Amino acid sequence: MDEFQKVLCGWSWEENKLFELALAVVDEQDPDRWEVVAAMVGGQKSAEDVQKHYVILLQDVQFIESGLFDHKIEDSQLQSLCWTDEDNNLLVQLNIN
């Protein structure tokens, strides 16, 4: 991943994937949930970092589910600063348009 993208987004593609996996396997009721998730992400993020990232994820999901997200955005407008070639390749492999 381009260093600019990583600095801007703060999370690499790999860290996001590890974060998603950790959320799937760490019990929400675990009192050490955020410390465990941070460790599973690779140790570069603090418990506070992963908890903030989770809040942002929840806000994104709520926005999408609210119906306010315009699904008719042109393909050229979907490219974000955090979008990587890896993401694009995965999209092409999954044949998602």
Side-chain angles (χ1 to χ4, degrees):
M1 177 193 285
D2 182 289
E3 246 346 91
F4 173 73
Q5 291 172 334
K6 185 172 181 180
V7 169
L8 184 65
C9 301
W11 287 68
S12 69
W13 185 88
E14 292 84 4
E15 287 170 328
N16 270 306
K17 292 302 169 190
L18 291 170
F19 172 74
E20 292 169 4
L21 176 63
L23 289 178
V25 299
V26 178
D27 190 329
E28 289 182 36
Q29 303 305 316
D30 185 334
D32 298 319
R33 182 181 192 200
W34 302 119
E35 290 81 5
V36 174
V37 171
M40 290 180 72
V41 169
Q44 298 298 315
K45 303 293 183 188
S46 69
E48 183 179 356
D49 291 335
V50 296
Q51 189 170 14
K52 286 179 181 178
H53 201 58
Y54 180 71
V55 169
I56 292 168
L57 174 65
L58 288 180
Q59 290 170 342
D60 287 348
V61 169
Q62 289 171 346
F63 179 71
I64 292 166
E65 290 179 347
S66 74
L68 297 174
F69 181 73
D70 184 2
H71 296 287
K72 296 178 181 159
I73 297 174
E74 296 294 322
D75 286 340
S76 62
Q77 293 174 315
L78 289 175
Q79 189 76 14
S80 76
L81 293 174
C82 297
W83 192 261
T84 67
D85 288 337
E86 280 181 273
D87 296 326
N88 194 49
N89 291 339
L90 180 60
L91 193 67
V92 169
Q93 288 174 0
L94 295 174
N95 195 25
I96 299 173
N97 295 321

